[in-house]
Amino acid sequence: MVFLTSQSSKVKPNLVNRIIAGISSLGRREGVASAFVYSIGIRGVGAILALSLNVLLARLLGVAEYGRYMALLSMILVLGGLSVRGVGSVLIRELAGEAGTTPVLRKSLTRWATFRVGKSTSLAMLVFLAWSVLIYFGWLTVWSSTQIKLAIVAGVAIILFSPFVSIGAGAINGYSASLRSQGLTLVVQNGTVLGLLGVLYLTVSQSIDLSQVLWLQAAGYAVSLLVGAYWLRGLVRERNIGSDDWCLSAIRNKNNPKNWTTASRHFLLITVAALLVNKLDVVLVSALAGSEVVGIYAAGARLAQVAMIIALAVNVVLSPRIAKAHKAGEQSSVTQLVRSGLKFTIPIALAEIVLAWLFGPKIVGIFGKSYSPSAGPFLWVVIAYALWTALAPVYALLSMTGKEKLVAALSWIILIANIGSICILTPLYGADGAGAAMALGYGVATVIIFFALVPKARNFIG
């Protein structure tokens, strides 16, 4: 994150920078709705790349090896994701305001972010190494000792790189470069691994193993980190126009590092709750029902996660814009941004529900005829994510205007309601009950938001 502190210089951008800047500014020139469309498009490209990568790896590694790879990579990415500790969201909010234009405040923010993420990354690597001891002795019968060691070292490298790629993407989005922010983690990362996988496949005669694939992932994150640093340096040069004297006074008066730490803790709680909601459900269903129920539920629920793309794309676009307008005291602009977002997300959410209701059986049919009962949980989980999609602009508003504690509370309410409902409904209604539990959790949060924001609702939907 040292690249955040680069000093300003009047450097004429090269052709590549001009093309990238032109693409990234399309949404801003043509309005927020167009920015949503471009954001959804780049997420779609990223999803296609990720799907292509997983299909190729599944074929090249084989079922057993691919299963070990996914188990190991999932653990690695969970540890890397938790290492971010909510810092990425703080960077979005702060760099959209004074920190994005004033060198001293940005330098203070950089030191705080690097130190905070560095500490948690070091701890995550130690946890992974301890967990790897179990892998080492459990997989010796399948792999050679050298392969296991190479895989473990690659895992450590991924944990080291991935948190800084995430906060780099957050910093880029703080400068309203939402396309580059998403492209860094979705397109650059997956595209690099796909390209390197092709090179590896063409150059080696023996079969590809898990350790080699993990090193490709590590290389993908390393490339993403370098590309992110390059993009961010250019954005810093464009915005490095503030007053150092004003900034020094702001640091003394606002005690910014303490405020940043408090905010990042709340954002971390949001991340943990979201992680548990999207991962713990299958574990609970497996404990309450048979393996067939788990398979039916998991197929529908995981397929329904596609509905989250819209909400994530909208949130990425709106967050820096709302933060910038709020810090500038432009309440009318904040209201207009949220209103534009709701006009986009509410119809999309309704369309998602209608499509899942009408075509759910055909959609889940991609898994095969035996998965036809997955249409029920698929519809329920789509309803859950549609509720979140509809209110995505409200969540962005709360997160970027200092109300992240409320968002954290809502996230944990969703989690608690979901867990409680799964325990009650799954034994009674099987996979459909588990899906309904997910919808109930998000439904409770939706009702709370409406009651909490009723006095202000007319500003955003009127």
Side-chain angles (χ1 to χ4, degrees):
M1 289 295 291
V2 177
F3 41 79
L4 277 178
T5 63
S6 301
Q7 295 300 311
S8 176
S9 61
K10 299 295 184 180
V11 180
K12 185 177 181 180
N14 58 32
L15 180 59
V16 175
N17 278 340
R18 287 179 176 177
I19 294 173
I20 293 172
I23 294 173
S24 298
S25 63
L26 283 174
R28 290 194 295 273
R29 287 200 302 265
E30 298 183 14
V32 176
S34 296
F36 293 155
V37 173
Y38 287 118
S39 183
I40 294 168
I42 202 166
R43 282 196 168 273
V45 172
I48 292 172
L49 290 174
L51 178 61
S52 301
L53 177 61
N54 279 290
V55 169
L56 288 174
L57 290 178
R59 291 178 177 272
L60 292 172
L61 294 176
V63 176
E65 190 80 342
Y66 182 70
R68 285 188 284 270
Y69 162 74
M70 289 302 295
L72 193 56
L73 183 64
S74 296
M75 181 64 174
I76 291 168
L77 295 181
V78 166
L79 290 172
L82 293 177
S83 298
V84 178
R85 299 173 72 184
V87 170
S89 297
V90 176
L91 290 176
I92 293 173
R93 192 168 70 189
E94 296 303 318
L95 289 173
E98 298 89 355
T101 58
T102 47
V104 173
L105 184 55
R106 186 174 58 250
K107 187 175 182 178
S108 176
L109 179 64
T110 301
R111 284 198 300 264
W112 169 83
T114 304
F115 182 68
R116 186 167 177 79
V117 174
K119 285 195 302 181
S120 55
T121 300
S122 300
L123 178 61
M125 288 190 290
L126 291 175
V127 171
F128 176 71
L129 288 173
W131 184 71
S132 298
V133 173
L134 301 176
I135 297 174
Y136 185 85
F137 291 105
W139 288 359
L140 272 178
T141 56
V142 181
W143 278 5
S144 69
S145 177
T146 301
Q147 285 178 314
I148 299 174
K149 290 177 181 177
L150 287 173
I152 291 172
V153 175
V156 171
I158 295 171
I159 293 175
L160 176 62
F161 295 142
S162 61
F164 289 96
V165 172
S166 295
I167 64 174
I172 290 170
N173 199 32
Y175 287 101
S176 297
S178 60
L179 295 186
R180 276 180 277 184
S181 173
Q182 295 172 95
L184 187 65
T185 54
L186 297 172
V187 178
V188 175
Q189 161 65 19
N190 290 319
T192 299
V193 178
L194 264 175
L196 293 176
L197 180 62
V199 173
L200 181 64
Y201 179 76
L202 294 173
T203 55
V204 299
S205 56
Q206 71 274 23
S207 60
I208 295 174
D209 63 44
L210 183 152
S211 61
Q212 293 171 324
V213 175
L214 285 176
W215 275 109
L216 296 184
Q217 289 283 1
Y221 280 106
V223 170
S224 297
L225 190 60
L226 293 174
V227 172
Y230 175 72
W231 284 348
L232 196 50
R233 285 177 68 89
L235 292 168
V236 167
R237 286 170 178 162
E238 293 174 11
R239 294 278 297 277
N240 201 20
I241 57 175
S243 167
D244 285 353
D245 293 337
W246 177 90
C247 192
L248 286 169
S249 176
I251 292 174
R252 287 194 298 267
N253 294 335
K254 295 183 180 180
N255 196 14
N256 287 307
K258 183 178 179 180
N259 294 336
W260 297 334
T261 299
T262 300
S264 69
R265 287 172 183 163
H266 295 146
F267 284 122
L268 175 60
L269 288 174
I270 296 170
T271 300
V272 172
L275 179 66
L276 291 175
V277 165
N278 293 310
K279 300 297 183 184
L280 193 60
D281 56 345
V282 173
V283 176
L284 287 174
V285 174
S286 66
L288 296 167
S291 57
E292 183 176 346
V293 172
V294 176
I296 294 298
Y297 170 74
R302 294 301 173 258
L303 186 60
Q305 288 183 347
V306 175
M308 299 173 66
I309 290 178
I310 306 296
L312 293 171
V314 168
N315 192 286
V316 169
V317 171
L318 282 181
S319 291
R321 296 168 184 247
I322 290 175
K324 183 176 181 180
H326 176 71
K327 286 181 175 294
E330 300 172 357
Q331 186 57 40
S332 60
S333 296
V334 172
T335 300
Q336 185 59 42
L337 284 167
V338 176
R339 184 184 298 167
S340 299
L342 291 172
K343 288 179 179 179
F344 185 85
T345 57
I346 291 176
I348 291 291
L350 293 173
E352 288 176 344
I353 295 173
V354 171
L355 289 174
W357 178 42
L358 294 177
F359 303 105
K362 293 183 179 180
I363 294 173
V364 300
I366 64 174
F367 292 106
K369 292 183 179 180
S370 59
Y371 285 93
S372 57
S374 294
F378 172 74
L379 173 59
W380 282 115
V381 178
V382 166
I383 290 173
Y385 292 143
L387 291 173
W388 185 50
T389 298
L391 294 178
V394 177
Y395 285 112
L397 170 70
L398 296 172
S399 298
M400 293 296 110
T401 57
K403 302 297 190 300
E404 65 279 352
K405 186 176 182 179
L406 175 57
V407 179
L410 288 169
S411 300
W412 281 86
I413 287 171
I414 292 172
L415 175 63
I416 293 169
N418 185 29
I419 291 175
S421 301
I422 285 177
C423 293
I424 295 171
L425 297 177
T426 302
L428 296 174
Y429 303 105
D432 286 346
M438 183 73 78
L440 183 60
Y442 281 91
V444 169
T446 301
V447 171
I448 292 174
I449 286 179
F450 271 116
F451 275 104
L453 299 179
V454 160
K456 301 178 181 179
R458 297 186 185 89
N459 294 331
F460 302 123
I461 63 178

